[in-house]
């Protein structure tokens, strides 16, 4: 039974920690600065009071911590970002307190088959994030939580029925050289390094493996299938196995070499000056994806790492409290380093050194794990569950079979709304440009599902998304463009890969996307990656250019010059996005000399009316004046704007107005 409880414990912790990091980032994002939300970091110091308590309260604190973890997880789907920081922070703190008692060998916290527990937790996370909504955890959505909770309860009851005849502590029998020997500080430190660095990697990679596809442009179905089968197989492979210290170190080394190599294979060298040639990334080569596929195949080594750390010799409550508090800093530092690789231009003076170093947090985690294994005094790690304990493998089998059938059905199901090339001629195109601020509403709450419904209500043929690179800790490890595309029936080009450090420009289309590529221009604050793809409508080839430049004059001129050069190669061109440029700017003047502004073609003075400017403050008479807009849709002379609409915030569910127009093909 303890194994089942710990499986849920690990799963709940990963889910709450994901919300914890994401909510703090979102609140900082909406203000473009860090504020009171950063006080939420104190929850990571929850084990420190145990330095004073020692074993006092050992009878009650573990029970309180278990209850706190369960309660905070149950109410998490119903909270906004501000309350979420407190709620998920408490849940994370409860898990850390449980770890302190576990590392101290307290009888108040039962020991378990750690290998089975972590494998079941990760398989559960993969199922929840991939079986219905791509990379979006079904159980973190209010409506989805109830059926997920029912399944959780059913699995727990089933495990109880099949496990009550045996003691779970038979799973945790330590290896022969770990028998009740008192832990030295070196042994405890080694276990702490391995445990917390491994937890970070489980959180960043395995709990939502679909993000690997966005990181690298690799196949989403292949990523999910490889990860699921690898972890499912690990549960059977570990039925009775002894892994030597050297073998575990080599396995980890191969894993990290594959991971870092896969990231570096997709890293881009950016233009070093405004006059430097642009960098264009197009169709990937097989060798860019192979290392990451191999890494996912090797990823079950993380389960062995964690099981090894959990089976380390016991220590005192005070020592474990200190080590867990110190180790929890890794839970903070490594994800923050990954976030800084994206916002390298905004958090001076630390962040610039993280530019184009997406690989660094993973390399550091790998080094710490290898150091911990080296410091460990155990020569072998033994995992020998009793034959009667087959319920974990049965649960995993059911989970995987049902999930893979469901996942396969989703992947082969034709896009519901996608237009076939054999349909009748298309007379008009509805185009939407939408900066959805990485899935955040004005108050910092996550709004992926609301924004998805918003796009569905407009029902455009082409959607150009900005600030769409959310498959990272700051976005809750959710590939939101894929979520929108799969749920609404669009083809998708994610645009610049996550490893490149842009804020994301993605293209969704009812029509097949051809020759997708990204043009990188000079940048000095954040990377400027313009997503480009082509569609064929009525035999006409139309290029789509999705833009989101930011920076000084040199950056914006370099971007506009590259955009114009690309647009001039085509007779039919659509360029849209958040240009961070008003119609009075020189960059706008350059582009409008080549392509027509769809808004000004209908409203030459830039002032709309109640039919074209929607939402906003009804008492503000000046809200129809759109002369200060920075979100534009430009089109070649072969298109004629029929109508145009700005939807102002907060109705747009983001900090930008959404803009869509209908273009007639001349």
């Amino acid at each position: 039974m303890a194994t089942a409880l710990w499986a849920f414990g690990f799963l709940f912790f990963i889910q709450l920690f994901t919300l914890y990091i994401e909510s703090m980032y979102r609140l900082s994002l909406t203000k473009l600065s860090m504020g009171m939300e950063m006080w939420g970091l104190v929850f990571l110091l929850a084990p420190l009071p145990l330095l004073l308590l020692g074993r006092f309260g050992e009878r009650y604190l573990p029970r309180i911590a278990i209850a706190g973890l369960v309660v905070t997880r149950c109410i998490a789907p119903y909270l906004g970002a501000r309350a979420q920081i407190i709620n998920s922070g408490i849940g994370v703190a409860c898990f850390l307190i449980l770890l302190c008692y576990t590392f101290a060998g307290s009888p108040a916290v039962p020991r378990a088959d750690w290998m089975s527990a972590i494998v079941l937790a990760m398989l559960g996370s993969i199922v929840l994030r991939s079986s219905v909504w791509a990379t979006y955890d079904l159980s973190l959505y209010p409506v989805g939580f109830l059926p997920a909770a029912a399944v959780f309860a059913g699995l727990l009851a089933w495990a109880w029925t099949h496990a009550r005849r045996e003691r779970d502590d038979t799973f945790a029998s330590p290896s022969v050289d770990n028998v009740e020997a008192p832990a030295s500080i070196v042994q405890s430190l080694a276990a702490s390094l391995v445990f917390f660095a491994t937890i970070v990697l489980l959180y960043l990679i395995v709990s939502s493996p679909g993000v690997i596809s966005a990181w690298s442009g690799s196949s989403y179905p292949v990523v999910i299938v490889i990860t699921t089968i690898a972890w499912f197989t690990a549960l059977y492979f570990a039925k009775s196995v002894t892994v030597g210290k050297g073998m575990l170190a080599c396995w980890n080394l191969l894993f990290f070499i594959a991971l870092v190599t896969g990231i570096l294979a997709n890293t881009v060298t950016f233009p070093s000056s405004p006059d430097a040639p642009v960098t264009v990334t197009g169709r990937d080569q097989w060798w860019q994806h192979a290392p990451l596929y191999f890494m996912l195949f090797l990823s079950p080594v993380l389960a062995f790492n964690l099981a090894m750390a959990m089976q380390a010799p016991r220590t005192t409550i005070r020592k474990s409290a200190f080590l867990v508090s110190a180790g929890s800093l890794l839970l903070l530092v490594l994800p923050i380093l990954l976030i800084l690789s994206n916002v390298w231009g905004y958090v001076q003076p630390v962040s610039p050194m993280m530019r184009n170093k997406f690989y660094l947090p993973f390399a550091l985690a790998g080094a710490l794990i290898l150091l911990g294994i080296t410091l460990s005094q155990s020569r072998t790690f033994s995992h020998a569950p009793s034959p009667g304990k087959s319920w974990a493998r049965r649960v995993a089998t059911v989970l995987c079979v049902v999930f893979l059938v469901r996942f396969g059905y989703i992947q082969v199901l034709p896009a519901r709304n996608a237009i076939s090339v054999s349909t009748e001629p298309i007379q008009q195109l509805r185009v939407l440009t939408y900066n959805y601020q990485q899935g955040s509403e004005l108050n910092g709450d996550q709004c992926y599902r609301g924004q998805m419904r918003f796009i569905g209500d407009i029902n455009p043929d082409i959607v150009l998304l900005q600030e769409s690179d959310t498959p990272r800790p700051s976005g809750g490890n959710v590939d939101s463009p894929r979520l929108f595309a799969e749920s609404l029936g669009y083809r998708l080009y994610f645009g610049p890969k996550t490893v490149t450090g842009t804020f994301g420009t993605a293209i969704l289309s009812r029509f097949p996307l051809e020759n997708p590529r990204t043009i990188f221009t000079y940048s000095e604050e954040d990377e400027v990656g313009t997503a480009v793809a082509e569609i064929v409508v009525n035999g006409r080839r139309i290029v789509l250019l999705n833009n989101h430049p930011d920076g000084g004059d040199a950056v914006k001129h370099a971007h506009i010059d590259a955009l114009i050069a690309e647009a001039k190669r085509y007779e039919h061109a659509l360029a849209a996005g958040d240009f961070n440029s008003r119609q009075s700017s020189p960059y706008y003047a350059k582009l409008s000399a080549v392509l027509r502004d769809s808004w000004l073609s209908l409203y030459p003075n830039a002032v709309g009316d109640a039919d074209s400017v929607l939402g906003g403050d009804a008492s503000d008479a000046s809200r129809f004046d759109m002369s200060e807009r920075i979100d534009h849709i430009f089109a070649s002379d072969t298109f004629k704007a029929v109508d145009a609409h700005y939807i102002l915030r907060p109705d747009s569910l983001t900090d930008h107005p959404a803009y869509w127009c209908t273009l007639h093909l001349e």
Side-chain angles (χ1 to χ4, degrees):
M1 186 57 184
T3 301
L5 290 175
W6 272 106
F8 282 108
F10 283 122
L11 176 60
F12 291 173
F13 167 72
I14 290 291
Q15 292 173 324
L16 290 170
F17 187 72
T18 300
L19 293 171
Y20 177 64
I21 296 294
E22 177 188 8
S23 298
M24 284 191 289
Y25 176 84
R26 288 191 184 281
L27 287 175
S28 299
L29 173 68
T30 55
K31 305 189 301 325
L32 297 180
S33 64
M34 292 181 288
M36 294 294 292
E37 65 275 0
M38 301 311 294
W39 282 102
L41 297 176
V42 301
F43 289 111
L44 294 177
L45 304 177
L48 287 180
L50 296 182
L51 292 172
L52 301 176
L53 291 174
R55 290 195 175 273
F56 178 77
E58 183 177 0
R59 182 176 180 182
Y60 301 105
L61 277 180
R63 298 178 184 179
I64 294 173
I66 291 172
L69 182 62
V70 173
V71 170
T72 53
R73 173 59 188 89
C74 288
I75 64 177
Y78 306 96
L79 301 178
R82 295 182 187 279
Q84 192 64 261
I85 293 175
I86 298 174
N87 178 73
S88 58
I90 292 173
V92 168
C94 290
F95 184 81
L96 295 177
I97 290 172
L98 285 173
L99 285 181
C100 292
Y101 285 103
T102 302
F103 288 149
S106 170
V109 180
R111 302 174 74 182
D113 173 7
W114 306 115
M115 183 75 183
S116 296
I118 195 62
V119 171
L120 287 173
M122 292 302 99
L123 287 176
S125 182
I126 293 170
V127 168
L128 289 170
R129 282 185 174 265
S130 308
S131 58
V132 178
W133 297 317
T135 70
Y136 186 95
D137 192 328
L138 169 69
S139 67
L140 293 178
Y141 185 59
V143 175
F145 174 68
L146 295 179
V151 174
F152 288 162
L155 289 175
L156 196 57
W158 193 88
W160 174 271
T161 301
H162 287 73
R164 63 185 178 182
R165 293 187 299 271
E166 298 183 30
R167 295 175 58 86
D168 281 90
D169 56 5
T170 59
F171 280 84
S173 55
S175 58
V176 292
D177 50 359
N178 277 348
V179 177
E180 299 306 325
S184 67
I185 186 65
V186 174
Q187 288 176 302
S188 299
L189 177 62
S192 179
L193 288 176
V194 172
F195 180 87
F196 285 101
T198 297
I199 281 288
V200 170
L201 294 174
L202 291 172
Y203 155 59
L204 293 177
I205 299 174
V206 183
S207 67
S208 183
V211 300
I212 300 296
S213 175
W215 290 6
S216 62
S218 52
S219 168
Y220 175 73
V222 171
V223 163
I224 298 298
V225 171
I226 288 178
T227 311
T228 304
I229 293 177
W231 280 74
F232 172 69
T233 304
L235 199 59
Y236 280 82
F237 175 71
K239 184 176 181 180
S240 180
V241 65
T242 298
V243 179
K245 179 178 176 179
M247 178 181 175
L248 189 62
C250 289
W251 191 353
N252 274 280
L253 184 60
L254 285 175
F255 171 79
F256 289 111
I257 289 175
L259 174 57
V260 174
T261 301
I263 292 173
L264 292 177
N266 291 279
T267 301
V268 173
T269 301
F270 303 110
S272 58
S273 69
D275 299 325
V278 301
T279 300
V280 181
T281 60
R283 185 179 297 277
D284 292 338
Q285 302 299 316
W286 68 267
W287 54 266
Q288 291 178 271
H289 302 151
L292 290 176
Y293 293 149
F294 186 52
M295 177 273 297
L296 292 171
F297 175 75
L298 296 174
S299 63
V301 70
L302 300 176
F304 283 88
N305 290 346
L306 190 141
M308 183 200 76
M310 296 296 281
Q311 292 187 12
R314 304 301 96 183
T315 184
T316 66
I317 289 288
R318 288 189 173 89
K319 279 186 180 179
S320 66
F322 173 77
L323 290 171
V324 170
S325 297
S328 65
L329 293 179
L330 290 179
L331 296 178
L332 175 65
V333 171
L334 294 178
I336 283 182
L337 286 178
L338 201 61
I339 292 172
L340 290 179
S341 70
N342 179 228
V343 298
W344 59 267
Y346 298 93
V347 188
Q348 302 288 347
V350 179
S351 57
M353 68 180 67
M354 286 302 299
R355 183 182 187 187
N356 217 17
K357 292 185 175 63
F358 190 88
Y359 67 89
L360 185 58
F362 302 101
L364 289 175
L368 292 172
I369 288 174
L370 290 172
L371 176 61
I373 294 174
T374 303
L375 292 176
S376 173
Q377 297 178 11
S378 299
R379 294 185 178 182
T380 60
F381 154 59
S382 297
H383 176 84
S386 60
K389 280 288 193 170
S390 60
W391 67 265
R393 292 186 290 278
R394 293 177 183 174
V395 169
T397 301
V398 173
L399 275 176
C400 290
V401 170
V402 173
F403 164 66
L404 289 175
V405 170
R406 168 66 181 169
F407 182 75
Y409 172 76
I410 292 175
Q411 295 305 310
V412 302
L413 188 68
R416 293 188 301 271
N417 301 320
I419 295 177
S420 169
V421 294
S422 63
T423 56
E424 295 182 0
I426 305 299
Q427 300 299 322
Q428 296 180 342
L429 292 177
R430 180 173 293 182
V431 183
L432 166 68
T433 179
Y434 191 31
N435 182 328
Y436 64 111
Q437 201 186 25
Q438 302 172 55
S440 300
E441 288 190 84
L442 289 176
N443 61 2
D445 290 352
Q446 185 201 90
C447 194
Y448 292 132
R449 295 286 300 168
Q451 291 166 339
M452 184 178 73
R453 288 192 296 268
F454 178 84
I455 295 171
D457 289 341
I458 296 174
N459 194 27
D461 300 303
I462 298 166
V463 185
L464 302 164
L465 300 171
Q466 300 88 47
E467 297 195 26
S468 56
D469 194 355
T470 58
R472 56 175 78 244
S474 52
N477 288 328
V478 175
D479 185 350
S480 52
R482 182 172 296 279
L483 170 66
F484 298 164
E486 287 194 359
S487 300
L488 299 175
Y490 288 99
R491 278 90 172 193
L492 168 67
Y493 174 50
F494 186 79
K497 301 172 183 177
T498 296
V499 301
T500 62
T502 75
F503 283 101
T505 49
I507 300 175
L508 278 62
S509 171
R510 301 275 191 225
F511 306 89
L513 292 168
E514 301 179 8
N515 302 321
R517 56 200 182 274
T518 299
I519 299 174
F520 292 95
T521 50
Y522 172 70
S523 55
E524 60 187 13
E525 199 168 54
D526 57 62
E527 309 304 350
V528 179
T530 301
V532 184
E534 301 165 17
I535 60 174
V536 176
V537 181
N538 299 345
R540 305 178 184 182
R541 183 166 295 275
I542 303 170
V543 64
L544 309 174
L545 302 114
N546 189 7
N547 306 266
H548 188 208
D550 195 18
D553 287 347
V555 172
K556 291 183 179 178
H557 277 297
H559 164 259
I560 287 294
D561 290 342
L563 173 59
I564 291 173
E566 190 69 15
K568 282 184 174 180
R569 296 177 52 221
Y570 297 84
E571 181 182 2
H572 313 288
L574 293 175
D578 170 10
F579 286 82
N580 280 310
S581 302
R582 296 178 172 84
Q583 65 184 55
S584 58
S585 70
Y587 332 110
Y588 176 94
K590 270 188 178 181
L591 186 56
S592 61
V594 178
L595 301 174
R596 290 191 298 186
D597 183 336
S598 57
W599 179 256
L600 289 189
S601 65
L602 292 173
Y603 303 95
N605 62 356
V607 179
D609 52 35
D611 292 327
S612 59
V613 180
L614 310 174
D617 184 359
S619 63
D620 182 9
S622 64
R623 71 183 187 281
F624 300 131
D625 185 354
M626 301 302 299
S627 59
E628 296 297 304
R629 70 200 183 283
I630 60 175
D631 300 272
H632 310 283
I633 297 176
F634 294 90
S636 58
D637 291 337
T638 55
F639 293 93
K640 178 182 179 181
V642 177
D643 63 10
H645 305 271
Y646 276 98
I647 303 176
L648 306 181
R649 62 180 193 174
D651 300 70
S652 62
L653 302 181
T654 177
D655 64 335
H656 277 251
Y659 175 51
W660 63 273
C661 66
T662 303
L663 300 173
H664 182 79
L665 282 69
E666 293 287 288

